[in-house]
Amino acid sequence: MSQRVDLRFNDRPVRVPLGVTLFDAASWNGIAIDSTCGGHGTCKKCRIRFKSEPPAPTSLDLRAFTEQEIEDGWRLACRTPATVEADVEVPPLTTRPKAATVGVGRQVILRPAVRKRYLELTEPTLADQVTDLERILAELTDLSPRPDLAVLRSLGTTLRQADFKVTAVVADETLIAVEPGDTTGRAFGLAFDLGTTTVVATLLDLTTGTPVAVESMLNKQQPFGADVIARISATMLDPAARDKLQALAQETLAELSSAVCKAGDVLPEEVYEVALAGNATMVHLVLGIDAESLGVAPFIMSTRLLPEVRAVDLGVPAHPQARAVVFPAFGAYVGGDITAGLLASGMDRDSRIRLFIDIGTNCEIALGGREWLLATAAPAGPAFEGASIRCGMRAADGAIEAVAIAEDGDLKLTVIGDTEPGGLCGSGLVDAVAALAEAGIIDASGRFVPTEEVTGAPLADRLAMVGKERVFVLHWSADRDPAASIYLSQRDIRELQFAKAAIATGWRILLEEAGLTTDDVKQVLLAGSFGSYLSPKSAIRIGLVPDVGSRRIIAAGNVAGEGAKMVLLSIRDRAAALALLDEVKYVELSDRSNFNDRFLTQLGF
Amino acid sequence: MSQRVDLRFNDRPVRVPLGVTLFDAASWNGIAIDSTCGGHGTCKKCRIRFKSEPPAPTSLDLRAFTEQEIEDGWRLACRTPATVEADVEVPPLTTRPKAATVGVGRQVILRPAVRKRYLELTEPTLADQVTDLERILAELTDLSPRPDLAVLRSLGTTLRQADFKVTAVVADETLIAVEPGDTTGRAFGLAFDLGTTTVVATLLDLTTGTPVAVESMLNKQQPFGADVIARISATMLDPAARDKLQALAQETLAELSSAVCKAGDVLPEEVYEVALAGNATMVHLVLGIDAESLGVAPFIMSTRLLPEVRAVDLGVPAHPQARAVVFPAFGAYVGGDITAGLLASGMDRDSRIRLFIDIGTNCEIALGGREWLLATAAPAGPAFEGASIRCGMRAADGAIEAVAIAEDGDLKLTVIGDTEPGGLCGSGLVDAVAALAEAGIIDASGRFVPTEEVTGAPLADRLAMVGKERVFVLHWSADRDPAASIYLSQRDIRELQFAKAAIATGWRILLEEAGLTTDDVKQVLLAGSFGSYLSPKSAIRIGLVPDVGSRRIIAAGNVAGEGAKMVLLSIRDRAAALALLDEVKYVELSDRSNFNDRFLTQLGF
């Protein structure tokens, strides 16, 4: 059973998966903690002070702090896991870290594409008639950018009004701005995780690598359907829907941009670059690219790699010349969000064979390591979103997010928000089915065993009938009416079986393609928020993931968003993301003749 | 004295400088004549038939035609100079010339940046999931373009509606369009000569290299002043003037585009590339770039070489993704029009030392050949435009365009449009002053000699007084009132002296810089329309050009416009234009300590 822990950083409440370090927990939530090593326990700079009961000091803490400091609650954030509720003070930054930790423990050495150079130019004379642009380029000794036409429009006036003391702003190979005076201290980037359901924006300070603000909201395209197929269908039924969907996605990005800029006290013009990770459909729609052929066999993208995109093409309020890095996609159903995720989780750099699973309506799976990578997509359906489940709901307040069998043999439910349970979310569903399988209430085929066979057994008193359907009651209503209670139906279990079979078939075919068995898999990374709340033990129990031992099943968090941050902070990681396109072999499951056979064998528990 | 000849090609009247071949005369006026050799007398395809009296056949004509054809008036256009009025029939094109003749006898081998490829693609399947874009790029074996984002937006639909039979349109390194079906037969470009006064547009068929239509009109910026300084001043006085001037220039280009497209029955979307040659001020203004620093010392451009410009940046109605090639400039007063002119006149390829002079309010001068090139600008003032001359006027109907001393010793005037003379234009002014110097009416210092010294001499009866000023009457009014007549005043002569001294100082300083004398100059090219009408003999007489013999003084025509055509037809010439930036050394006259001394010595005749 996976848990979340409530923390407070400088009085700001955040909720993080159990066990992550406070350094990562802060970083993921946009709270900057001093560090030069990037959370590797060597620089001893990530000092935080517990206002609540501090954990026992580590050996490193004892070397980093005086006895009095230890007594006062000082600890190193990178060596302190989040295990219990805590209230923590983070001191103001004292250094500019030249490295930032993002993704799954990935340390990114700061080398953003956006660079600023303050120049004090000599003024032209009749004897020195070098043009304004060439005068600037001559001083940018380590860069050879080409100018945007828009920069030239006001260049003459800017130079003369600023007495030839200006800051050149270079993004990648382009001179995107020349600003009066010295503005080198201010440079920001916006990283977006454009999900079908949720969109997250992180404002990054490109001079320090630290997140300034994070905001998320539901994708405004929701009224057009919950999943990508519904949205693509909308564009096929109504010619105007494509423009509407583009506008709604852009509005979502724009609202988030404004929110993080406001929170960070940053002007839109100070945002010089944008990165966006999204699935192929989201990327097509937000850029106004025909998405129809993504929705029908043979599922063809317009392109894997996009040409130059600007922030304005995404509707993002930023510097008018800001470029956008949009992650390339491997296929129609293994999109740029997965490219970003693989980058953030270091799948391409780890020597171990690892399995990466992003569970959702569409489930993306990657297998491999430094030498090779395979990827595929499995249509899991909406079970994990709680959508096709009788008492299902999203992972919001009131959702049963975890189910376990207590020592007394009865059920123990964990509910989000400490309220009365209102339904079952995906992680609770997996837990519940795992528990029923464990307790022998359902058999290996997923069928409820006949009531007479389990009478008297633990939990058997929760079996009931709702209409003509057998159900298992998770939480009784006050009047103990099964139909008014929160229950699991036989059909719900079938839905989960289909979903997990699709996923298990996916990773099994990848293993087969690589000539490996589950024993070769050294780690399973569960990407996305769902992966953070899923119980590794339950996931193994129902066969959703290979049995590599629950400690080797890692919640990787929002790796798409982390990947987007990485490409803003490091051109090397940007190049690595691009290289993934060639390094990853995309395996199309629907093309496999043995897919259906495999699928059927994976239905059971 | 230079003359013009009236011709009719397929009943279309044109006026061309005396002596150009009918092939060039037709080509310059947008009338396509068959040719594969480009006017070099080898292919014998440029057949035309004289409806008026034909010239004597050349030896080549006798080999190219039967006796009967010679009798019927057939001649080769490339071997027939325009010497007398003629009415000519041009047969329809039978072949697509792979070369085109443009500029000063420059043969351009057709290799436009715009290339179309008709593709019949295999349709994707589950087993062949190559994306739409990569499917196209894979077939473009000889090209590796990057797509425009706009192309991707409708790519999926276009491919499927056209059954995967499409035409890819590549401009330079960019895939700018994918069109349904086979459109390879249609590809056009627009070449602009954006002059301060006159703007010329030529619509070119890029598949054949032939001009389809030519139109010209006055630059709509005229109300802001006749010369570049007036227009720059306008932007300095009124902050809104920059936008207005940009809009007016763009309107001029747009109207011309529409006119040539209509004349050629070409859709704007079929225009895939645009080229523009203009002086630095015109280029700055049309692109909305601050021009202020061009107008005040030390006369600094924003840039010599522009970044990527699109047709839409120039306000030109064309394919939405059409790029614009804007000629780079050497300096604030030796602009892209001169780069184009040097290209079109082959200054960079000729082994001879030649002098290139573009006479106008600002006069641009280049000297050199294949090995080296020098360029400078000389502020000639408005005398050659007739603007500061008492009886001056533009070269329009009624202007005295040529003045000579007839055998009877009296004046012989040539008037544009065969009407009563209404004034004196630039070429007439040069002729008149040359004639007066020749006749001894003015002395070497430019002063009218005292009346008593010339009494009884030829032309002396034309000396008169207007107010307190001595004048020379060129054309008496009916009542023989000097003030109502067309005359030349002492001040007019001074104006011309200043203008010609500026120019002569310019080319003398270039000669000095190169360590050469006038004897080393093998040819003088006079660019622009003014150069076409200027009498070489008079120009030599007053010292405007070095005395290299009048047969070596060549009217080069609208070389700026020709250069613009060349870069649309040939990427090699485009590269050559770019290379000129490095090959030409710009010499700033106002920086020279000896400029004033030189100038004073050049004032006399």
Side-chain angles (χ1 to χ4, degrees):
Chain A
M1 185 180 81
S2 170
Q3 283 183 322
R4 292 189 290 185
V5 177
D6 288 303
L7 303 173
R8 295 176 77 82
F9 288 107
N10 291 348
D11 298 317
R12 192 179 135 199
V14 300
R15 205 167 202 213
V16 302
L18 181 76
V20 302
T21 69
L22 293 197
F23 184 82
D24 284 350
S27 169
W28 291 358
N29 285 284
I31 297 145
I33 298 182
D34 258 345
S35 173
T36 50
C37 76
H40 284 248
T42 57
C43 75
K44 305 197 195 79
K45 285 196 162 64
C46 58
R47 301 157 63 102
I48 53 171
R49 192 178 70 80
F50 279 81
K51 296 195 275 184
S52 57
E53 182 63 27
T58 64
S59 58
L60 206 64
D61 286 329
L62 296 173
R63 277 185 280 151
F65 297 105
T66 64
E67 216 165 333
Q68 184 59 46
E69 284 174 326
I70 295 286
E71 183 73 29
D72 291 346
W74 287 98
R75 298 290 183 275
L76 290 182
C78 75
R79 280 297 171 271
T80 311
T83 50
V84 292
E85 221 173 284
D87 192 353
V88 167
E89 181 196 328
V90 179
L93 293 184
T94 58
T95 58
R96 284 189 180 183
K98 289 300 172 206
T101 299
V102 292
V104 184
R106 294 292 304 278
Q107 188 184 19
V108 174
I109 303 298
L110 255 196
R111 209 178 150 191
V114 173
R115 282 151 296 179
K116 282 190 161 189
R117 295 281 189 279
Y118 174 61
L119 309 172
E120 297 191 352
L121 304 167
T122 57
E123 297 194 21
T125 62
L126 280 172
D128 169 15
Q129 293 208 314
V130 170
T131 67
D132 291 342
L133 176 65
E134 289 168 307
R135 192 168 298 274
I136 287 169
L137 296 181
E139 289 299 312
L140 295 174
T141 42
D142 58 333
L143 305 169
S144 315
R146 283 173 305 176
D148 259 351
L149 181 58
V151 173
L152 291 171
R153 293 214 165 100
S154 53
L155 182 59
T157 307
T158 301
L159 279 180
R160 283 158 189 82
Q161 285 180 351
D163 291 327
F164 288 85
K165 294 178 175 63
V166 292
T167 300
V169 188
V170 176
D172 211 356
E173 303 292 312
T174 309
L175 180 70
I176 64 166
V178 174
E179 300 172 342
D182 183 352
T183 66
T184 50
R186 304 279 294 175
F188 299 88
L190 267 171
F192 292 104
D193 168 22
L194 176 60
T196 312
T197 307
T198 307
V199 185
V200 186
T202 306
L203 180 66
L204 285 172
D205 185 333
L206 299 178
T207 69
T208 62
T210 49
V212 177
V214 187
E215 296 283 346
S216 70
M217 63 187 288
L218 287 179
N219 189 326
K220 287 174 183 278
Q221 292 178 334
Q222 293 279 341
F224 283 84
D227 55 42
V228 297
I229 293 295
R231 309 231 180 122
I232 296 169
S233 301
T235 70
M236 295 165 80
L237 295 170
D238 174 10
R242 192 180 95 176
D243 288 350
K244 281 186 211 155
L245 282 162
Q246 181 180 18
L248 289 169
Q250 297 202 346
E251 279 169 30
T252 311
L253 299 181
E255 268 187 38
L256 285 171
S257 307
S258 300
V260 288
C261 281
K262 199 180 162 198
D265 202 13
V266 167
L267 296 172
E269 298 73 48
E270 295 178 304
V271 174
Y272 299 101
E273 199 165 50
V274 166
L276 183 138
N279 64 52
T281 304
M282 287 304 108
V283 167
H284 274 61
L285 290 177
V286 75
L287 288 170
I289 301 174
D290 281 351
E292 287 190 23
S293 54
L294 295 174
V296 293
F299 313 111
I300 303 300
M301 285 190 289
S302 288
T303 182
R304 301 198 303 159
L305 181 62
L306 285 157
E308 182 178 276
V309 175
R310 294 178 181 227
V312 71
D313 295 320
L314 297 169
V316 171
H319 189 281
Q321 265 65 255
R323 264 53 173 185
V325 181
V326 180
F327 276 88
F330 302 112
Y333 288 95
V334 180
D337 49 347
I338 302 309
T339 316
L342 297 182
L343 177 74
S345 50
M347 283 291 284
D348 57 330
R349 302 208 186 168
D350 205 303
S351 55
R352 297 170 293 174
I353 298 301
R354 297 196 293 169
L355 184 62
F356 173 103
I357 306 182
D358 188 339
I359 299 171
T361 306
N362 178 60
C363 176
E364 296 95 347
I365 307 164
L367 175 75
R370 193 191 294 158
E371 306 299 327
W372 51 267
L373 280 166
L374 299 175
T376 192
F384 295 116
E385 315 269 348
S388 59
I389 304 300
R390 285 290 173 91
C391 297
M393 67 177 287
R394 283 233 173 93
D397 276 2
I400 298 171
E401 62 166 340
V403 178
I405 298 173
E407 288 188 9
D408 63 3
D410 199 7
L411 285 187
K412 186 187 159 204
L413 308 181
T414 309
V415 179
I416 298 176
D418 292 325
T419 67
E420 267 297 284
L424 190 64
C425 70
S427 59
L429 175 67
V430 172
D431 272 0
V433 173
L436 295 194
E438 196 62 35
I441 305 284
I442 56 174
D443 63 19
S445 78
R447 217 167 42 89
F448 281 122
V449 297
T451 311
E452 55 277 17
E453 292 180 20
V454 289
T455 307
L459 303 178
D461 56 340
R462 289 173 173 268
L463 283 168
M465 296 294 288
V466 170
K468 291 181 171 176
E469 199 174 19
R470 293 186 70 195
V471 304
F472 178 86
V473 175
L474 293 163
H475 179 76
W476 290 104
S477 66
D479 58 0
R480 291 186 69 88
D481 172 11
S485 300
I486 297 168
Y487 59 82
L488 202 64
S489 75
Q490 182 67 66
R491 226 192 65 200
D492 293 340
I493 297 167
R494 294 293 180 220
E495 289 280 344
L496 180 68
Q497 282 181 280
F498 274 90
K500 82 102 187 177
I503 294 169
T505 305
W507 54 257
R508 281 184 187 277
I509 284 182
L510 292 191
L511 281 172
E512 201 172 282
E513 180 86 13
L516 300 179
T517 69
T518 54
D519 292 343
D520 297 306
V521 178
K522 301 304 177 206
Q523 194 176 59
V524 176
L525 292 167
L526 296 176
S529 56
F530 181 68
S532 301
Y533 306 127
L534 187 65
S535 152
K537 223 172 109 190
S538 299
I540 291 172
R541 179 62 190 84
I542 69 164
L544 181 62
V545 298
D547 186 0
V548 295
S550 57
R551 290 183 57 196
R552 287 184 165 175
I553 295 178
I554 307 292
N558 175 14
V559 282
E562 291 298 304
K565 283 154 66 179
M566 286 170 72
V567 297
L568 289 180
L569 297 180
S570 163
I571 52 172
R572 281 166 55 182
D573 282 298
R574 187 174 303 189
L578 209 61
L580 277 169
L581 259 202
D582 293 326
E583 291 162 12
V584 175
K585 184 184 166 197
Y586 178 64
V587 178
E588 173 62 36
L589 294 188
S590 52
D591 183 35
R592 299 264 153 166
S593 54
N594 59 352
F595 178 80
N596 286 341
D597 291 347
R598 294 233 150 263
F599 181 81
L600 291 174
T601 64
Q602 292 305 316
L603 280 172
F605 297 118
Chain B
M1 186 181 82
S2 170
Q3 283 184 321
R4 294 189 289 185
V5 177
D6 288 302
L7 303 173
R8 296 176 76 83
F9 289 108
N10 291 348
D11 297 317
R12 193 181 133 198
V14 299
R15 206 167 202 213
V16 302
L18 180 76
V20 304
T21 69
L22 292 196
F23 184 82
D24 285 351
S27 169
W28 293 358
N29 284 283
I31 298 146
I33 298 182
D34 258 345
S35 172
T36 49
C37 76
H40 284 247
T42 57
C43 75
K44 305 195 196 82
K45 285 196 162 63
C46 59
R47 299 157 63 103
I48 53 171
R49 193 178 69 79
F50 279 79
K51 297 196 275 184
S52 57
E53 182 63 28
T58 64
S59 57
L60 206 63
D61 286 328
L62 294 174
R63 279 185 279 151
F65 298 103
T66 64
E67 214 162 337
Q68 184 59 46
E69 283 174 325
I70 295 285
E71 183 72 31
D72 290 344
W74 287 97
R75 299 289 185 277
L76 291 181
C78 75
R79 281 297 171 270
T80 311
T83 50
V84 292
E85 220 175 283
D87 192 355
V88 168
E89 179 195 330
V90 179
L93 292 184
T94 58
T95 58
R96 285 187 178 183
K98 288 300 171 206
T101 298
V102 290
V104 184
R106 294 292 303 277
Q107 188 183 19
V108 174
I109 303 298
L110 255 196
R111 209 177 149 191
V114 174
R115 283 149 295 181
K116 282 190 161 190
R117 296 280 189 277
Y118 175 61
L119 309 172
E120 297 191 352
L121 303 167
T122 56
E123 297 193 21
T125 63
L126 281 174
D128 169 14
Q129 293 208 314
V130 170
T131 66
D132 290 342
L133 176 65
E134 288 168 308
R135 194 168 296 275
I136 287 169
L137 296 181
E139 290 297 311
L140 294 176
T141 43
D142 58 333
L143 305 170
S144 314
R146 285 174 303 178
D148 259 351
L149 181 59
V151 173
L152 291 171
R153 294 215 164 98
S154 53
L155 182 61
T157 307
T158 301
L159 279 180
R160 284 157 188 83
Q161 285 179 350
D163 292 327
F164 288 84
K165 295 178 175 65
V166 292
T167 300
V169 188
V170 176
D172 212 354
E173 302 292 312
T174 310
L175 179 69
I176 63 166
V178 174
E179 300 172 341
D182 184 352
T183 66
T184 50
R186 306 276 295 176
F188 300 88
L190 266 171
F192 291 104
D193 168 22
L194 176 59
T196 311
T197 307
T198 308
V199 185
V200 186
T202 306
L203 179 67
L204 284 172
D205 185 333
L206 299 178
T207 69
T208 61
T210 50
V212 178
V214 187
E215 297 283 346
S216 70
M217 63 188 287
L218 286 179
N219 189 327
K220 286 173 182 279
Q221 293 178 332
Q222 292 280 341
F224 283 83
D227 54 43
V228 297
I229 293 295
R231 306 224 185 131
I232 295 169
S233 301
T235 70
M236 296 165 80
L237 295 171
D238 174 11
R242 193 180 95 176
D243 288 349
K244 281 186 210 154
L245 282 162
Q246 181 181 19
L248 289 168
Q250 296 202 347
E251 278 169 31
T252 310
L253 298 180
E255 266 187 39
L256 285 170
S257 306
S258 300
V260 289
C261 281
K262 198 178 163 200
D265 203 14
V266 167
L267 297 172
E269 297 74 47
E270 295 177 305
V271 174
Y272 299 101
E273 200 165 50
V274 166
L276 181 138
N279 63 52
T281 303
M282 288 303 108
V283 167
H284 275 58
L285 290 177
V286 76
L287 288 170
I289 300 175
D290 281 350
E292 287 189 24
S293 55
L294 295 174
V296 291
F299 314 111
I300 303 299
M301 285 190 290
S302 288
T303 182
R304 300 198 305 159
L305 181 61
L306 285 157
E308 183 178 277
V309 174
R310 295 180 181 227
V312 72
D313 295 320
L314 297 168
V316 171
H319 189 282
Q321 265 64 256
R323 264 54 173 183
V325 181
V326 180
F327 276 88
F330 303 111
Y333 289 94
V334 180
D337 51 346
I338 302 308
T339 316
L342 296 182
L343 177 74
S345 50
M347 283 291 284
D348 57 331
R349 303 208 185 167
D350 205 304
S351 56
R352 296 171 293 174
I353 299 301
R354 297 195 293 169
L355 184 63
F356 173 103
I357 306 181
D358 190 338
I359 299 172
T361 306
N362 177 60
C363 175
E364 296 95 347
I365 307 165
L367 175 74
R370 193 191 292 159
E371 306 299 328
W372 51 266
L373 279 166
L374 300 174
T376 193
F384 295 116
E385 315 268 348
S388 57
I389 304 300
R390 287 289 173 89
C391 298
M393 68 177 287
R394 284 235 173 91
D397 275 3
I400 298 170
E401 63 165 338
V403 178
I405 299 175
E407 288 189 10
D408 64 3
D410 200 6
L411 285 187
K412 187 186 157 202
L413 307 181
T414 309
V415 180
I416 298 176
D418 291 325
T419 65
E420 267 296 286
L424 188 64
C425 70
S427 59
L429 174 68
V430 172
D431 272 0
V433 172
L436 294 194
E438 195 60 36
I441 304 284
I442 56 175
D443 64 20
S445 77
R447 218 169 43 89
F448 282 121
V449 297
T451 310
E452 56 276 18
E453 291 182 20
V454 289
T455 307
L459 304 176
D461 55 341
R462 289 173 173 267
L463 284 168
M465 296 295 285
V466 171
K468 289 182 174 176
E469 199 175 19
R470 291 187 72 194
V471 304
F472 179 85
V473 175
L474 292 163
H475 180 76
W476 288 105
S477 65
D479 60 0
R480 290 186 71 87
D481 171 12
S485 299
I486 298 168
Y487 59 81
L488 202 64
S489 75
Q490 183 67 66
R491 226 192 65 200
D492 295 341
I493 296 168
R494 292 295 181 220
E495 289 279 344
L496 180 68
Q497 281 180 280
F498 275 90
K500 82 102 186 176
I503 295 169
T505 305
W507 54 257
R508 281 185 187 275
I509 286 182
L510 292 190
L511 280 172
E512 201 172 282
E513 179 86 15
L516 300 179
T517 69
T518 54
D519 291 343
D520 297 306
V521 177
K522 299 306 176 203
Q523 194 176 59
V524 176
L525 291 166
L526 296 176
S529 57
F530 181 68
S532 302
Y533 306 127
L534 186 65
S535 153
K537 224 173 107 191
S538 298
I540 292 173
R541 180 62 191 83
I542 68 164
L544 180 61
V545 298
D547 186 0
V548 296
S550 59
R551 290 183 56 197
R552 286 182 166 177
I553 295 177
I554 306 292
N558 175 14
V559 281
E562 291 298 303
K565 284 155 65 178
M566 287 171 73
V567 296
L568 288 180
L569 297 180
S570 162
I571 52 172
R572 281 167 55 182
D573 282 299
R574 187 174 301 188
L578 209 59
L580 277 170
L581 259 203
D582 294 325
E583 291 163 10
V584 175
K585 183 183 165 199
Y586 178 64
V587 177
E588 173 63 36
L589 294 190
S590 51
D591 184 34
R592 300 263 153 168
S593 55
N594 59 353
F595 178 81
N596 287 340
D597 291 345
R598 293 233 151 262
F599 180 81
L600 291 173
T601 64
Q602 292 304 316
L603 281 171
F605 298 117

